[in-house]
Amino acid sequence: MGRPRSDRIRRALRLPLLALPALLGGCHMVVMNPTGDIAVQQRNLILFATGIMLLIIVPVMVLTVLFAWRYRRGNPNKVYDPTFDHSTTLELVIWACPLLIIIALSVVTWTSTHLLDPFRPLDRLAAGKPIAPNTKPLEVQVVALDWKWLFIYPEQGIATVNELALPVDVPVHFSITSTSQFSTFYAPTMAGMIYAMPGMQSVLNAVLNAPGESWGYSGNYTGRGHTDMRFKLRGMTPGDFNRWVTQVKASNQGMLAPTNYGALEKPSIKVPVLHFGSVMPGLFDRVVNRCVAPGTPCTIDVMRRDMARSRGDVPGRSAAPLHGDTPTPAIFKAPKDKGTGPNVTKPAKPGAPGERKQGDPRNRDLSATQPSLAPGALRTVRV
């Protein structure tokens, strides 16, 4: 009776192990399955670094078990040498192997850091496919909003929300910024993670090498809508991309301008894909300089003016403002234009000496202003 029961227990314990591959089958390791050349090189760097570190990790783990078994107390064949204190061979192995691994990782990391610099223009579309001379990259301007992504195609004159379409085997130059929060632009199948910061512009050069759809998102937590701050990344053939551009231009969203950009900038969650058939020229630059709203001075103009003022190129206080007319100083305004405010010098009530009698001698008596007295001293009373 006890044996069948123990068999059932062993079978029950095996069920979680059998279900584990099914659970892992639901994982989609997009970082390990890239469709862009930059992401492929980054994946290869991860695999190389992991493999070369396993050259130390695996032997150490095996030797740990081997030493514990060989030098156990119950081993009758163990060797005990109380005079052992040094082994040159052992010292060379212990120090040389990690040193060689560190040197290899340093060389590969240093070269890859420069080759995969996001600001560096691409010199190839894929391994063995150099970029033809005078190839012009596709310009895409990225704005991280709360909590959605805005993509502006300045050359095509269109804009989209939460959808990024790119032609395959065409280099793309991304200009990236944010409106209010510190976000990260991350499309794992295309390239690495790039920061998007308010008032600043970052750059990414990348390429897609295969048609298909995947997702991009913000890798930096930015509040309650962060989970749904995703965009669809679509790789298309050049012909399909041109047809997609024509479709976007025919959308009924109209033109993206400062008037409707303000509504788009407001925080919102789970925003569907939007298409704008046209875009006001220079909108991205106004977003970077935080002057989309009419009448708002642009950051670059303020900084340029401050730099000129520091060099003495323009007068300081007498200079005209960037926007609007020069304000009139208060001393030159009429009394009716100055307005009124609370009277902060009016005597406190009650008990102010001579408050109602202008000729009262107490108005000339300054004895109320007494020096600080020692603790316990009596203060004279005025009559």
Side-chain angles (χ1 to χ4, degrees):
M1 294 295 294
R3 193 166 189 177
R5 184 178 179 182
S6 62
D7 291 341
R8 288 195 299 269
I9 294 175
R10 282 197 294 269
R11 289 172 186 160
L13 293 177
R14 291 174 187 161
L15 289 177
L17 298 178
L18 296 175
L20 187 60
L23 295 176
L24 295 177
C27 298
H28 183 41
M29 302 179 65
V30 291
V31 176
M32 295 293 117
N33 296 281
T35 57
D37 183 61
I38 297 297
V40 168
Q41 297 181 66
Q42 292 174 339
R43 180 204 60 186
N44 295 341
L45 179 61
I46 293 174
L47 294 176
F48 173 80
T50 303
I52 199 170
M53 287 187 290
L54 288 176
L55 294 177
I56 287 292
I57 296 174
V58 172
V60 168
M61 295 178 67
V62 172
L63 290 176
T64 300
V65 177
L66 178 63
F67 288 172
W69 173 257
R70 181 174 181 179
Y71 295 103
R72 69 189 188 279
R73 177 179 293 183
N75 185 7
N77 299 321
K78 62 178 178 291
V79 177
Y80 176 67
D81 185 5
T83 63
F84 176 82
D85 63 348
H86 179 73
S87 172
T88 303
T89 303
L90 187 60
E91 291 285 343
L92 289 175
V93 172
I94 291 175
W95 290 104
C97 291
L99 183 60
L100 293 175
I101 289 177
I102 292 174
I103 293 174
L105 286 175
S106 301
V107 172
V108 173
T109 302
W110 188 86
T111 54
S112 300
T113 300
H114 291 277
L115 290 175
L116 301 178
D117 182 4
F119 284 80
R120 183 175 182 264
L122 300 180
D123 54 6
R124 73 177 198 181
L125 297 176
K129 294 178 62 176
I131 297 179
N134 302 323
T135 300
K136 186 178 181 181
L138 174 67
E139 292 288 338
V140 179
Q141 298 167 342
V142 184
V143 181
L145 303 168
D146 294 335
W147 287 273
K148 47 197 169 289
W149 293 94
L150 172 64
F151 301 100
I152 302 175
Y153 298 77
E155 297 173 347
Q156 288 73 25
I158 60 174
T160 62
V161 174
N162 288 342
E163 183 183 33
L164 174 61
L166 300 174
V168 298
D169 291 336
V170 175
V172 184
H173 179 268
F174 293 94
S175 301
I176 307 168
T177 189
S178 178
T179 55
S180 60
Q181 300 197 62
F182 198 111
S183 302
T184 53
F185 175 71
Y186 187 33
T189 60
M190 180 180 62
M193 187 182 302
I194 303 297
Y195 289 117
M197 296 164 282
M200 302 182 68
Q201 178 180 335
S202 189
V203 172
L204 171 65
N205 289 279
V207 63
L208 283 178
N209 301 117
E213 293 188 358
S214 60
W215 289 94
Y217 55 90
S218 174
N220 198 42
Y221 181 73
T222 54
R224 61 189 180 94
H226 163 75
T227 304
D228 299 302
M229 191 175 174
R230 295 172 173 266
F231 63 90
K232 181 181 292 185
L233 175 61
R234 303 178 61 186
M236 304 177 176
T237 62
D240 291 339
F241 177 75
N242 293 332
R243 285 188 289 271
W244 176 82
V245 171
T246 304
Q247 178 184 355
V248 173
K249 288 184 176 181
S251 63
N252 56 3
Q253 290 292 335
M255 179 179 183
L256 180 60
T259 52
N260 52 358
Y261 175 83
L264 181 65
E265 188 180 12
K266 294 180 180 179
S268 55
I269 302 177
K270 295 184 179 179
V271 178
V273 173
L274 300 176
H275 292 164
F276 295 91
S278 59
V279 184
M280 186 192 76
L283 179 61
F284 179 79
D285 293 333
R286 295 173 70 94
V287 174
V288 174
N289 290 282
R290 310 177 69 83
C291 57
V292 178
T296 305
C298 293
T299 304
I300 188 171
D301 295 332
V302 175
M303 291 191 297
R304 185 183 297 114
R305 190 178 186 84
D306 290 343
M307 292 177 62
R309 182 177 299 170
S310 65
R311 295 193 303 265
D313 296 344
V314 298
R317 297 178 179 271
S318 60
L322 294 176
H323 299 276
D325 300 328
T326 303
T328 304
I331 192 174
F332 297 115
K333 290 184 177 180
K336 62 179 182 179
D337 298 330
K338 295 181 181 180
T340 58
N343 188 353
V344 296
T345 61
K346 187 175 182 180
K349 293 182 179 181
E355 178 183 0
R356 301 184 181 280
K357 299 180 181 180
Q358 296 183 2
D360 197 314
R362 289 185 298 173
N363 288 336
R364 300 179 180 274
D365 186 5
L366 301 180
S367 60
T369 307
Q370 297 184 2
S372 301
L373 302 178
L378 297 178
R379 185 181 296 275
T380 58
V381 180
R382 299 182 60 202
V383 293

